[in-house]
Amino acid sequence: MKRTSFAQWPCSIARTMDLLGDWWTPLVLRDAFYGVRRFDEFQQALGIARNTLADRLKRLVDEGLLEKVPYQTEPVRHDYVLTEKGRDFYPVLLAMTRWGDKWLAGEAGPPITVHHLACGHDTHAEIVCAECREPMTPDDTRMRRGPGFPPRLAQRPDVEERFARQE
């Protein structure tokens, strides 16, 4: 069955999910942040099928989140290194971790803690406004059409209604 592509949808969440595609991709990125760099290390850490891992790594390289860097020539072998675009995914993983820690952790508590080296504390992600640094919540934020919203969709009654609910 062919899946629907969200790559051209006027929604950054849909486009991101189109890139991620499945549950393995964020886990591959998570392990890259843990310092995993080699195919066999990813495969062992995740217990993922080799063909599935090869597909996910290729997609992440093609999309510019990982870069293949040769570390051996005979035979050619590569490290998979996070690019700037890949490193920019870190806050997404931290937000997912915070939500999972709050809603899915058992009685023993979160399985992993985030330690901030700069201040020396265990902490969690906090979403704050880039302008005023205040926390952002659904009660004090609204979604509005941005400059990249397709004009052909802006006039549709369902779209107008969706954004009118936000005002």
Side-chain angles (χ1 to χ4, degrees):
M1 179 185 334
K2 186 175 181 192
R3 71 178 182 92
T4 300
S5 174
F6 300 126
Q8 300 304 313
W9 279 36
C11 172
S12 293
I13 295 170
R15 290 175 181 176
T16 300
M17 293 310 300
D18 189 75
L19 179 127
L20 295 177
D22 64 79
W23 54 81
W24 286 116
T25 304
L27 297 176
V28 170
L29 288 168
R30 177 205 64 189
D31 279 11
F33 283 106
Y34 281 160
V36 175
R37 297 170 69 121
R38 298 193 173 157
F39 186 95
D40 290 338
E41 293 173 339
F42 281 109
Q43 202 277 322
Q44 181 179 2
L46 294 168
I48 185 175
R50 295 179 72 80
N51 63 325
T52 303
L53 177 58
D55 289 346
R56 298 319 174 268
L57 289 171
K58 181 180 182 332
R59 174 88 188 241
L60 290 168
V61 168
D62 290 348
E63 293 290 341
L65 281 84
L66 293 175
E67 177 182 12
K68 285 173 71 170
V69 178
Y71 70 87
Q72 179 179 308
T73 56
E74 294 290 328
V76 176
R77 297 191 188 265
H78 297 92
D79 280 338
Y80 292 89
V81 180
L82 288 160
T83 63
E84 180 183 1
K85 185 177 181 179
R87 288 188 302 275
D88 269 354
F89 195 74
Y90 191 64
V92 176
L93 292 177
L94 288 180
M96 291 171 67
T97 300
R98 177 162 187 205
W99 187 90
D101 288 350
K102 180 174 181 176
W103 296 105
L104 304 175
E107 289 182 26
I112 303 290
T113 57
V114 177
H115 185 78
H116 189 221
L117 297 175
C119 71
H121 290 94
D122 288 347
T123 190
H124 60 268
E126 191 76 30
I127 304 299
V128 299
C129 173
E131 300 298 323
C132 70
R133 310 311 287 172
E134 290 293 316
M136 295 176 67
T137 69
D139 294 333
D140 63 10
T141 58
R142 299 293 178 265
M143 300 296 185
R144 298 174 21 183
R145 287 176 284 232
F149 196 88
R152 65 178 168 50
L153 296 179
Q155 305 305 312
R156 283 185 17 192
D158 61 316
V159 172
E160 287 180 345
E161 182 180 333
R162 179 185 323 147
F163 285 101
R165 282 189 230 129
Q166 292 285 309
E167 294 173 3

